[in-house]
């Protein structure tokens, strides 16, 4: 019975998400028409992160307990990294960050009706099967950091579907941080499995999600050769909250 109720709540969550997205899309489009360029992009991302996501989380009965916000300076650019276990993570990521950022998102997400269009407009897209696309995404990430954006990257690459608290880390996010001298801010979602199951898309329950910020880890005094060490350092910081 408990599993059935969680599945029904997940279906309601999907419908609410689509409804809110349907309501929000005309405003996003209008803003792009009236205020083209980077200003419109910033305003739209702010709306999605600080209006859309809190409203959606409230509607599905999910509260956030965010710790370590005092460590984040919204006037700085960061390479943001976080763990990834559920479909709800990207909503929690955005709501728990006091500023705005751009995601590095996989191309598959752009194929979802309406939502895919939003992803294409707001995120940096990478085709993980294409070496050329990966190379272009790195160039784009550097450009965004140079323009004052923060960028969010999952160092595990994709959702961790194992029973381990964290998957292996790729070094890409850390190399970009080192090459650009950008500090790394670390977000750990501690108890998302209580709210949304890793293996089942239709699994959702009301509750409180604990999110912890660590860092920032300064990189300006390090070289690209330290990427592996930096990745392991950040992984250990996350593991302290997950084990």
């Amino acid at each position: 019975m408990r599993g059935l109720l969680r599945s029904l709540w997940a279906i309601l969550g999907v419908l609410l998400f689509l409804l809110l997205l349907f309501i929000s899309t005309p405003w996003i489009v209008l803003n792009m028409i009236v205020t083209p360029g980077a200003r419109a992009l910033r305003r739209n991302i702010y709306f999605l992160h600080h209006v859309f996501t809190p409203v959606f989380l409230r509607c599905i009965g999910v509260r956030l307990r965010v710790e370590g916000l005092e460590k984040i300076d919204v006037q700085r650019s960061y390479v943001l990294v976080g763990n990834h276990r559920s479909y709800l993570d990207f909503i929690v990521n955005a709501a728990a960050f006091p500023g705005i950022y751009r995601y590095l998102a996989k191309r598959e997400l752009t194929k979802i009706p309406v939502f895919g269009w939003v992803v294409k407009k707001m995120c940096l897209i990478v085709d993980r099967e294409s070496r050329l696309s990966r190379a272009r995404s790195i160039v784009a990430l550097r450009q965004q950091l140079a323009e004052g954006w923060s960028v969010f990257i999952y160092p595990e690459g994709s959702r961790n579907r194992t029973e381990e608290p964290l998957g292996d880390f790729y070094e890409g996010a850390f190399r970009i941080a080192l090459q650009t001298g950008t500090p790394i801010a670390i977000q750990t979602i501690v108890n998302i499995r209580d709210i949304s199951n890793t293996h089942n898309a239709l699994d959702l329950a009301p509750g409180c999600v604990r999110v912890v910020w660590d860092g920032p880890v300064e990189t300006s005094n390090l070289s690209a050769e330290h990427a592996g060490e930096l990745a392991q350092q950040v992984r250990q910081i996350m593991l302290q909250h997950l084990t």
Side-chain angles (χ1 to χ4, degrees):
M1 177 60 74
R2 183 170 178 268
L4 176 60
L5 290 175
R6 289 176 68 104
S7 294
L8 291 174
W9 195 251
I11 293 170
L12 176 63
V14 171
L15 294 175
L16 284 170
F17 182 86
L18 294 174
L19 176 61
L20 288 172
L21 190 62
F22 179 78
I23 294 171
S24 301
T25 299
W27 188 93
I28 293 171
V29 173
L30 180 62
N31 187 42
M32 293 171 64
I33 295 172
V34 174
T35 314
R39 186 180 173 190
L41 180 62
R42 287 185 176 273
R43 290 175 63 179
N44 280 336
I45 292 179
Y46 184 91
F47 170 80
L48 290 170
H49 285 195
H50 299 294
V51 179
F52 182 98
T53 56
V55 169
F56 173 70
L57 290 172
R58 185 178 292 272
C59 287
I60 62 174
V62 173
R63 295 172 290 111
L64 300 187
R65 191 179 85 196
V66 184
E67 303 171 14
L69 270 177
E70 70 280 0
K71 302 171 184 176
I72 304 299
D73 180 358
V74 295
Q75 302 303 318
R76 300 188 73 185
S77 296
Y78 297 102
V79 172
L80 305 164
V81 295
N83 57 323
H84 190 20
R85 290 206 72 101
S86 85
Y87 289 103
L88 196 63
D89 289 347
F90 77 100
I91 294 287
V92 174
N93 297 149
F97 184 63
I100 61 173
Y101 57 79
R102 299 194 73 182
Y103 269 112
L104 180 65
K106 57 186 180 182
R107 184 169 297 278
E108 294 90 324
L109 293 176
T110 64
K111 299 177 182 179
I112 302 173
V114 184
F115 177 69
W117 178 83
V118 174
V119 169
K120 191 173 182 179
K121 293 295 182 181
M122 307 298 163
C123 301
L124 302 169
I125 308 302
V126 60
D127 181 353
R128 294 178 297 181
E129 303 300 321
S130 168
R131 180 176 297 179
L132 178 60
S133 178
R134 294 197 301 271
R136 286 175 175 170
S137 70
I138 291 172
V139 173
L141 286 168
R142 290 176 182 166
Q143 179 68 28
Q144 296 301 298
L145 290 168
E147 293 176 3
W149 285 92
S150 291
V151 296
F152 198 110
I153 305 172
Y154 292 124
E156 294 167 285
S158 59
R159 279 189 303 122
N160 175 19
R161 295 175 173 84
T162 73
E163 294 304 313
E164 297 298 320
L166 280 176
D168 294 331
F169 277 15
Y170 292 95
E171 296 181 4
F174 307 98
R175 289 190 181 280
I176 290 167
L178 289 168
Q179 290 167 1
T180 58
T182 307
I184 298 172
I186 309 160
Q187 185 196 90
T188 308
I189 304 176
V190 178
N191 62 327
I192 195 65
R193 295 182 74 176
D194 298 336
I195 307 299
S196 180
N197 189 288
T198 302
H199 303 290
N200 183 3
L202 291 179
D203 181 84
L204 183 66
C208 181
V209 178
R210 180 178 170 228
V211 183
V212 181
W213 284 104
D214 286 292
V217 178
E218 300 295 339
T219 63
S220 57
N221 60 336
L222 300 173
S223 64
E225 288 73 24
H226 293 92
E229 298 172 24
L230 187 57
Q232 289 307 308
Q233 177 187 345
V234 170
R235 192 172 186 275
Q236 288 304 312
I237 290 172
M238 286 188 187
L239 282 173
Q240 290 176 6
H241 302 298
L242 296 170
T243 55

